[in-house]
């Protein structure tokens, strides 16, 4: 129940944040609004847990290792992003590029300073989960150089640090892209039409947007630690298409009444299953072998 509820809450939070980012031009108001939404979602999770305690240690570990950090990372990311952009100096392209590179170095230094735990996070290790993600466990502070005051009922030794890892990876991606945007010398662009990517999306845009959200909500990229807008930008580049109002379009997808909200993905599934059936019919011996393959 907690897994399904948190997944639904996270999807709702993400949609609300995307709406704020799309409609609020003022950076301070944008940051304030996003942080407010995240804090509200975290408070709802906290209240739910106060009424529905964890049934097992495994459930508790999963929540503080995987669920809460995804929510909290949103708050850290938007606060840090605002600070970075607010402090950005005026000046030449070179000045701004150096500023972004220094911010990038700060993030990389943070990863190095927490190398053991960062590798634990990146490699999805589990050996010390009982120590890091149970509220009753204690750990030497020397291993946690930057942990805020913990709430005993809603925090563990490492959930904040994992949240920060997620947020800083998103910031790292943002800074790399910002450097590329202001310094065209770092980007390799095709000089002629012959050198452009050979693939171009010629289907309906709504289908591509459905595919993008399918990739996003199943966490296929960067262990799920990626923003929808980043996937949109990559897809637009790969398929040479400019998507119009992707967030609004996804809202329309959700409100489909007469057909499935995942009509295009359903069509893809049917096409793949049909091809598999055709292959089995065309190669009957192969089909028998597959069906009789031992478990």
């Amino acid at each position: 129940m907690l897994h399904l509820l948190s997944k639904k809450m996270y999807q709702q939070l993400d949609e609300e944040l995307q709406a704020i980012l799309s409609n609020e031009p003022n950076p301070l108001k944008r940051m304030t609004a996003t942080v407010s939404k995240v804090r509200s979602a975290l408070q709802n999770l906290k209240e739910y847990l106060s009424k529905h305690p964890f049934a097992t240690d495994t459930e508790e570990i999963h929540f503080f290792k995987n669920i809460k950090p995804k929510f909290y990372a949103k708050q850290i990311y938007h606060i840090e992003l605002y600070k970075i952009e607010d402090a950005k100096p005026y000046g030449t392209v070179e000045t701004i590029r150096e500023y972004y590179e220094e911010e990038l170095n700060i993030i990389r230094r943070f990863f190095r300073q927490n190398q053991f735990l960062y590798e634990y996070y990146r490699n999805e290790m589990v050996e010390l989960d009982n120590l890091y993600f149970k509220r009753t466990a204690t750990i030497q502070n020397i291993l946690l150089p930057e942990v805020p005051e913990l709430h005993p009922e809603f925090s563990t030794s490492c959930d904040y640090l994992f949240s920060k890892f997620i947020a800083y990876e998103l910031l790292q991606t943002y800074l790399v892209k910002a450097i590329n945007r202001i310094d065209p010398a770092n980007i390799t662009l095709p000089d002629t039409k012959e050198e452009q990517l050979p693939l171009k999306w010629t289907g309906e845009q709504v289908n591509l947007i459905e595919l993008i959200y399918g990739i996003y909500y199943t966490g296929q990229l960067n262990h799920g630690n990626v923003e929808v807008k980043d996937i949109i930008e990559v897809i637009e580049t790969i398929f040479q298409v400019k998507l119009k109002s992707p967030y609004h379009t996804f809202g329309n997808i959700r409100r489909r009444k007469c057909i499935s909200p995942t009509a295009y993905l359903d069509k893809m599934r049917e096409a793949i299953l049909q091809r598999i059936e055709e292959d089995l019919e065309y190669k009957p011996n192969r089909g028998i072998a597959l069906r009789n393959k031992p478990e």
Side-chain angles (χ1 to χ4, degrees):
M1 179 65 182
L2 175 60
H3 176 73
L4 295 176
L5 174 66
S6 62
K7 184 177 181 180
K8 183 178 180 180
M9 288 177 60
Y10 186 79
Q11 291 178 354
Q12 179 180 347
L13 173 64
D14 188 70
E15 291 167 13
E16 291 173 345
L17 296 185
Q18 294 298 339
I20 293 171
L21 296 177
S22 299
N23 300 320
E24 178 53 71
N26 182 279
L28 179 58
K29 291 182 179 179
R30 189 163 59 238
M31 183 273 290
T32 303
T34 54
V35 170
S36 176
K37 289 291 185 182
V38 176
R39 288 176 175 169
S40 177
L42 285 169
Q43 181 61 31
N44 289 338
L45 281 174
K46 181 180 175 183
E47 291 175 358
Y48 176 85
L49 290 177
S50 68
K51 299 175 182 177
H52 305 85
F54 297 114
T56 64
D57 289 346
T58 300
E59 188 178 41
E60 179 179 4
I61 289 170
H62 177 72
F63 176 81
F64 287 110
K65 183 178 183 180
N66 300 295
I67 296 177
K68 182 188 173 186
K70 288 181 65 176
F71 283 82
Y72 202 1
K74 295 281 190 183
Q75 176 176 321
I76 298 172
Y77 171 75
H78 287 290
I79 291 175
E80 294 298 321
L81 179 61
Y82 171 76
K83 290 179 180 178
I84 289 172
E85 288 300 325
D86 187 57
K88 183 172 67 176
Y90 292 99
T92 64
V93 168
E94 182 66 19
T95 299
I96 298 174
R97 181 177 64 81
E98 289 178 355
Y99 170 75
Y100 280 140
E101 287 179 345
E102 180 55 33
E103 292 296 320
L104 201 54
N105 288 334
I106 292 172
I107 290 174
R108 290 168 177 166
R109 186 158 57 247
F110 171 77
F111 290 149
R112 289 195 301 270
Q113 290 170 343
N114 299 278
Q115 184 174 353
F116 175 78
L117 287 168
Y118 185 56
E119 289 179 358
Y120 191 93
Y121 156 79
R122 290 284 292 174
N123 295 321
E124 300 181 354
M125 299 168 69
V126 298
E127 291 82 358
L128 299 175
D129 282 0
N130 282 320
L131 184 62
Y132 292 155
F133 301 106
K134 287 184 62 178
R135 291 166 295 177
T136 56
T138 58
I139 187 171
Q140 294 296 324
N141 290 334
I142 192 172
L143 295 177
L144 303 172
E146 198 175 337
V147 178
E149 185 176 351
L150 302 179
H151 188 290
E153 298 300 321
F154 197 60
S155 299
T156 65
S157 298
C158 284
D159 67 76
Y160 170 77
L161 205 54
F162 268 45
S163 302
K164 201 164 184 178
F165 288 153
I166 295 171
Y168 273 31
E169 284 186 342
L170 293 172
L171 285 171
Q172 184 172 243
T173 299
Y174 174 87
L175 290 168
V176 169
K177 290 167 63 176
I179 291 171
N180 286 338
R181 282 197 300 268
I182 65 173
D183 190 356
N186 289 338
I187 308 176
T188 302
L189 296 175
D191 295 325
T192 65
K193 287 186 177 180
E194 287 72 24
E195 293 176 333
Q196 291 179 359
L197 293 172
L199 301 177
K200 185 172 183 179
W201 184 265
T202 55
E204 295 182 33
Q205 288 204 1
V206 65
N207 293 338
L208 188 55
I209 292 168
E210 185 179 321
L211 181 62
I212 288 170
Y213 276 90
I215 294 171
Y216 174 71
Y217 283 126
T218 55
Q220 301 301 299
L221 301 177
N222 294 356
H223 304 288
N225 301 325
V226 64
E227 298 286 344
V228 172
K229 61 182 179 62
D230 296 322
I231 302 177
I232 290 173
E233 290 180 10
V234 170
I235 292 296
E236 287 180 331
T237 300
I238 292 175
F239 293 124
Q240 302 182 64
V241 62
K242 182 62 178 176
L243 295 173
K244 300 176 181 178
S245 304
Y247 307 115
H248 176 72
T249 301
F250 182 68
N252 291 336
I253 290 174
R254 293 177 58 201
R255 289 188 290 271
R256 284 173 177 166
K257 299 295 184 181
C258 298
I259 59 176
S260 167
T262 55
Y264 178 58
L265 296 180
D266 293 342
K267 185 177 180 180
M268 289 177 64
R269 177 178 179 275
E270 291 172 4
I272 293 171
L273 290 176
Q274 181 179 347
R275 178 52 192 266
I276 291 174
E277 289 299 321
E278 290 174 353
D279 280 353
L280 294 177
E281 290 176 4
Y282 183 70
K283 299 176 181 178
N285 292 334
R286 178 185 174 193
I288 294 172
L290 287 172
R291 294 189 181 98
N292 295 335
K293 185 177 179 181
E295 296 294 334

